[in-house]
Amino acid sequence: MKSFYTALLFLLIIKLNVLGQSKDKQFSIEYTRPVDLVNVFLGSSADHGQMSPAASYPFSMLSICPQTYPKTHTGYEYLAKKFLGFTHNRFEGVGCQGSGGNILIKPFLGSDATKTELIKATEAASPGFYEVGFENHIKAKLAVLGNAGLESYHFPKGEKGFYVDLAYAFNGAFVAEEHQVKNNTITGWIISKTTCGVGKYKVYYCLQLNGGAQWKDLGDHKLTATLNTQSTTEEVSVAFSSVSSAAAQKAINKTGFEEMKAQSAKDWNTHLSKIAVAGELESAKLFYSLLYRTMQSPYVISETDGQYRSTKGELKKDKEIRYNGWAIWDNYRTQLPLLSLITPERYTGMLSSIAELYESGKKDYATQTEPSNTVRTEHAIVVLLDAYRKGYPVDFKKITDSLVKEVDHLDYKSPDKALESSYDNWALSEIFAILKNKEKADFYRTKALEYKKYWIKDFKDMTKRDVDQMQARGLYQGTIWQYRWFVPYDFKGLMELDGGEEAYLAKLDEFFDRDLYNHANEPDLQVPLMYNFTKDVHKSQYWMHQLAADTVIQNYFNDNSRGIGSYIGQIYRNQPQAYLRTMDDDAGAMSAWYVFTASGFSPACVGWPIYYLNVPLFPTVTYQLPKGRTFKIEVQNFDPKHKYIQSVFLNGKPFNRNYITQQDISAGGVLKIVSSAKPVKNEGLEQWISSIE
């Protein structure tokens, strides 16, 4: 009998141990903070995302990060051992060899900064925080809160100091600077070229040593600060502003380092908790690491008193927080729609800022007087239309003339430009319909319909030899195959042009069967969703799951090569060499695509508040909504291998649609998706298809 109880106790201990281990491998927001799951080193090595582990804050102009040799687009390479110092801004995940990298600070030992080599020995980072230890025993800790930061350095006793290069910027982008040294404070401004060197931005700053130092001007925009030989610590406070160096100095945060680090982490956690996933721990780590990437830009450019500068460089004031730093061509289909759901309190200000671009003389890329680093703004008109239909306030009457001016000067010279310009014509047509101006609505709808002649000319005949060649016929970063699907506002018309549903499906099947899809860039990002308005809805469910969580064959890369070292494996991986080779995160565009897919719904056509459904990557995903409401997506029969939807229920009632609306989400409630390992033919399924008519 004793042996029986001993065996029973042994089995109970084993069971409890297994349950404990099982819990350790599961994630719930109830007992773990999302901020503690974020891997800020994801995508920070080689050309696999172009991201950095910078100490940053949600939508802050300021991000402090090591400048390594060698470097990636953001100035940092995970595998690099040699550090050149620390820089204070960058645009995460964009091309053209990156931009930013202003104000290089290098801690050094001895009396000559050039003789100090900073070789990495230890390193750690989390949202809002970065630290590194060097072989020479210098240690650095960085924290950012709002547009202010604090850098804490530890030195051995002896001669030491800081080397400051105010002319440092990525890729020779520095233009001009002015500065003033007073006691232990440097204030001034720096002008650098924007991403791709198209425009210029001006950033005001304040840099303040919290201890004593002797400053020496070396000329050529370079300085050194010699520290007390007996001191072993020094803190550097820094702040950025679009308004003035005085505003930057006022923004200097007097909080202690640990308090700043803790507050930044707390604020990051508040933002990340807008979406609560529950499920496998490693999947949750990937999810929150990517969600973190969607909230780096655009940047807050207004001060606490409401002052900010427009893209004309004009000083203005408004009660609403203003933003700048756009990559709209890259992220208007993913990151911005996601922000409209999870940061509605910020999104109103973002929309006002986008609308003001038109008042200030909007450019496709950048002006010569930007208040922060920025990239590009094509399809901003579509973003405004989309937001209006989601219930956000947009004063179209105020900017109508500017919208017309932009659309009337669109480019149709290449096949891709012709299709993209037609999208903006459609958006303007819809805006005039909202304004009840039928004449102009009809005019721009007719202009939008001209996409058909361009499509027939370049995209109908897929037997030509150049249809799978990157940049054929003047295309931008894509192929004829990849761009032929870009008619998001008129999928019905596109299907008819392609010869009807059967012919359309044959082409779509061929596209995926031959691995012609390119997830390394945005031109065909919507194509996996394009089975949703056909009889083969299940194929969209398959491809969304496959691209997000399974093995793919990738033949195309952003160096415009095809078939050279094709990649076979997962796209989204929680490691420094994440993503596909040459795939940029593009200011949160690709991260947001994953977040939507993992949540079980994705925008069907920006401009319409419609989302196509797929099986989520977690058993439950909950979106926090205004006024305490939640929208929860539950998966019945959850299994990582279940890619297909068997049935759907909304608030307990059968839901016979393969899409949900913004209204469905905003009302809150529970969407239950019953998953299946095999495709399901849903009889009488209500489907949504965009149509220009």
Side-chain angles (χ1 to χ4, degrees):
M1 197 69 173
K2 183 179 179 182
S3 61
F4 170 77
Y5 285 114
T6 301
L8 189 63
L9 180 62
F10 179 71
L11 290 171
L12 182 61
I13 291 171
I14 290 176
K15 184 175 181 181
L16 290 172
N17 188 44
V18 169
L19 287 172
Q21 289 178 352
S22 176
K23 184 179 179 181
D24 289 343
K25 294 179 180 179
Q26 296 294 307
F27 170 77
S28 169
I29 202 168
E30 293 178 7
Y31 54 81
T32 306
R33 297 193 311 171
V35 71
D36 296 327
L37 269 59
V38 174
N39 174 16
V40 299
F41 293 102
L42 185 155
S44 64
S45 182
D47 199 352
H48 291 265
Q50 304 297 356
M51 294 177 265
S52 84
S56 68
Y57 187 81
F59 311 106
S60 172
M61 295 169 67
L62 184 71
S63 71
I64 314 175
C65 187
Q67 178 69 22
T68 64
Y69 177 82
K71 69 179 183 69
T72 60
H73 290 32
T74 58
Y76 173 89
E77 163 56 52
Y78 179 77
L79 297 176
K81 293 291 186 182
K82 184 177 180 180
F83 283 36
L84 304 180
F86 303 91
T87 56
H88 293 76
N89 62 339
R90 66 220 71 246
F91 212 121
E92 294 281 347
V94 298
C96 292
Q97 298 302 305
S99 60
N102 293 133
I103 311 179
L104 175 74
I105 294 182
K106 177 186 177 182
F108 67 89
L109 301 179
S111 58
D112 187 348
T114 63
K115 292 182 179 178
T116 292
E117 272 206 337
L118 300 174
I119 307 300
K120 179 171 66 176
T122 61
E123 184 179 37
S126 58
F129 170 73
Y130 176 89
E131 68 175 337
V132 62
F134 299 111
E135 289 182 356
N136 63 4
H137 303 296
I138 293 177
K139 295 179 181 178
K141 297 191 296 183
L142 319 171
V144 172
L145 185 66
N147 279 336
L150 186 59
E151 304 169 23
S152 177
Y153 295 92
H154 183 276
F155 297 88
K157 285 186 178 181
E159 289 185 297
K160 55 188 160 288
F162 293 108
Y163 166 81
V164 180
D165 186 352
L166 297 174
Y168 195 91
F170 297 156
N171 312 305
F174 171 74
V175 176
E177 69 92 11
E178 282 188 7
H179 68 273
Q180 180 182 13
V181 179
K182 186 176 181 181
N183 297 326
N184 294 322
T185 301
I186 309 176
T187 55
W189 53 259
I190 297 171
I191 297 175
S192 294
K193 295 176 185 177
T194 61
T195 305
C196 303
V198 178
K200 299 184 186 76
Y201 67 93
K202 187 175 188 177
V203 61
Y204 295 88
Y205 68 91
C206 176
L207 197 70
Q208 195 172 84
L209 269 65
N210 296 340
Q214 289 184 331
W215 288 93
K216 182 179 180 181
D217 193 328
L218 304 178
D220 196 27
H221 316 289
K222 298 173 179 60
L223 308 95
T224 57
T226 302
L227 304 177
N228 187 306
T229 57
Q230 296 303 305
S231 67
T232 57
T233 60
E234 180 58 77
E235 289 188 337
V236 179
S237 294
V238 60
F240 273 10
S241 172
S242 78
V243 172
S244 66
S245 54
Q249 189 164 7
K250 187 178 179 182
I252 289 287
N253 195 312
K254 303 296 184 181
T255 306
F257 188 88
E258 291 304 320
E259 291 84 357
M260 181 180 284
K261 174 187 172 185
Q263 188 62 52
S264 186
K266 182 180 178 181
D267 293 350
W268 267 117
N269 193 63
T270 298
H271 280 73
L272 294 167
S273 298
K274 295 291 185 72
I275 308 177
V277 301
E280 201 264 330
L281 179 60
E282 292 305 312
S283 296
K285 288 179 179 179
L286 175 61
F287 180 89
Y288 285 112
S289 297
L290 294 173
L291 180 60
Y292 166 77
R293 291 294 165 189
T294 69
M295 292 183 273
Q296 301 288 331
S297 60
Y299 312 124
V300 173
I301 58 166
S302 50
E303 299 299 322
T304 53
D305 64 359
Q307 288 193 91
Y308 67 98
R309 288 192 185 273
S310 71
T311 53
K312 277 185 174 179
E314 297 172 331
L315 189 61
K316 293 191 170 187
K317 191 172 184 178
D318 196 277
K319 293 179 181 178
E320 208 164 49
I321 294 174
R322 294 291 169 150
Y323 296 81
N324 193 56
W326 306 106
I328 297 177
W329 183 90
D330 303 279
N331 58 28
Y332 76 101
R333 286 180 280 180
T334 53
Q335 186 241 15
L336 290 175
L338 181 66
L339 295 183
S340 77
L341 285 173
I342 64 175
T343 59
E345 71 286 352
R346 288 183 177 272
Y347 203 64
T348 301
M350 292 178 189
L351 289 170
S352 297
S353 303
I354 292 173
E356 190 178 346
L357 294 176
Y358 288 95
E359 298 175 50
S360 299
K362 178 181 170 296
K363 305 288 185 183
D364 279 352
Y365 279 75
T367 70
Q368 300 301 307
T369 50
E370 293 286 340
S372 74
N373 197 358
T374 192
V375 187
R376 57 197 304 185
T377 61
E378 299 100 319
H379 301 309
I381 187 173
V382 178
V383 174
L384 295 174
L385 172 64
D386 185 69
Y388 177 85
R389 284 181 164 156
K390 289 176 177 175
Y392 285 95
V394 182
D395 188 353
F396 287 123
K397 290 182 180 179
K398 192 175 181 180
I399 57 172
T400 301
D401 290 345
S402 297
L403 293 173
V404 168
K405 182 179 178 181
E406 179 182 55
V407 171
D408 285 351
H409 289 86
L410 290 171
D411 185 0
Y412 297 82
K413 292 176 183 176
S414 59
D416 56 325
K417 286 285 189 181
L419 295 186
E420 294 209 38
S421 296
S422 297
Y423 194 5
D424 285 9
N425 273 283
W426 168 78
L428 185 55
S429 169
E430 295 295 307
I431 289 168
F432 274 121
I434 290 166
L435 296 175
K436 302 189 186 308
N437 187 329
K438 186 178 184 304
E439 181 182 351
K440 288 191 175 180
D442 290 345
F443 175 80
Y444 284 102
R445 183 170 290 108
T446 300
K447 285 277 289 181
L449 277 167
E450 290 179 6
Y451 86 83
K452 294 185 178 183
K453 72 178 183 182
Y454 298 111
W455 195 91
I456 291 170
K457 174 180 175 290
D458 276 299
F459 298 104
K460 189 170 183 67
D461 183 0
M462 300 305 291
T463 63
K464 295 180 180 179
R465 292 181 62 184
D466 66 348
V467 293
D468 63 349
Q469 294 175 13
M470 296 290 283
Q471 295 190 304
R473 308 180 206 175
L475 297 175
Y476 176 72
Q477 294 184 342
T479 68
I480 293 293
W481 264 112
Q482 289 156 14
Y483 272 107
R484 82 186 300 268
W485 314 100
F486 192 80
V487 192
Y489 54 91
D490 193 21
F491 285 147
K492 183 178 180 182
L494 174 65
M495 190 185 298
E496 291 169 354
L497 285 176
D498 220 2
E501 184 173 4
E502 292 299 333
Y504 167 84
L505 282 171
K507 282 287 190 293
L508 200 51
D509 286 343
E510 181 183 356
F511 181 69
F512 284 107
D513 289 344
R514 291 176 54 195
D515 303 307
L516 299 171
Y517 173 74
N518 180 16
H519 201 76
N521 213 323
E522 285 84 11
D524 55 356
L525 208 57
Q526 79 287 354
V527 186
L529 293 166
M530 291 179 66
Y531 286 102
N532 270 302
F533 44 84
T534 73
K535 64 181 181 180
D536 291 341
V537 173
H538 65 279
K539 291 182 180 178
S540 276
Q541 297 163 12
Y542 171 87
W543 279 110
M544 295 300 283
H545 187 284
Q546 192 76 12
L547 292 163
D550 217 324
T551 299
V552 300
I553 300 173
Q554 176 74 18
N555 291 321
Y556 296 91
F557 302 95
N558 290 339
D559 53 7
N560 299 316
S561 64
R562 180 186 185 279
I564 301 173
S566 296
Y567 172 79
I568 302 174
Q570 283 184 249
I571 297 173
Y572 293 93
R573 296 166 293 166
N574 191 11
Q575 61 189 48
Q577 290 199 358
Y579 289 3
L580 305 165
R581 178 172 65 83
T582 76
M583 175 178 163
D584 300 339
D585 189 50
D586 279 333
M590 295 308 190
S591 294
W593 184 94
Y594 178 91
V595 170
F596 269 124
T597 304
S599 301
F601 61 96
S602 298
C605 168
V606 180
W608 289 113
I610 305 291
Y611 304 85
Y612 285 129
L613 298 176
N614 64 273
V615 177
L617 301 183
F618 294 91
T620 65
V621 182
T622 305
Y623 277 65
Q624 304 297 324
L625 304 174
K627 299 180 180 178
R629 294 190 301 273
T630 61
F631 183 68
K632 186 176 184 179
I633 306 100
E634 294 180 345
V635 183
Q636 187 174 316
N637 301 335
F638 179 83
D639 187 297
K641 295 181 181 179
H642 287 187
K643 304 177 182 179
Y644 303 104
I645 296 176
Q646 180 175 306
S647 56
V648 181
F649 297 85
L650 181 60
N651 296 324
K653 298 179 180 179
F655 189 77
N656 199 32
R657 299 196 319 229
N658 70 328
Y659 68 93
I660 54 174
T661 66
Q662 185 74 23
Q663 188 175 1
D664 295 328
I665 296 172
S666 299
V670 179
L671 184 78
K672 183 167 75 174
I673 295 175
V674 183
S675 70
S676 169
K678 296 181 179 180
V680 177
K681 289 286 185 182
N682 299 99
E683 298 298 330
L685 183 69
E686 183 184 330
Q687 296 166 270
W688 184 85
I689 182 170
S690 62
S691 174
I692 201 169
E693 301 301 338

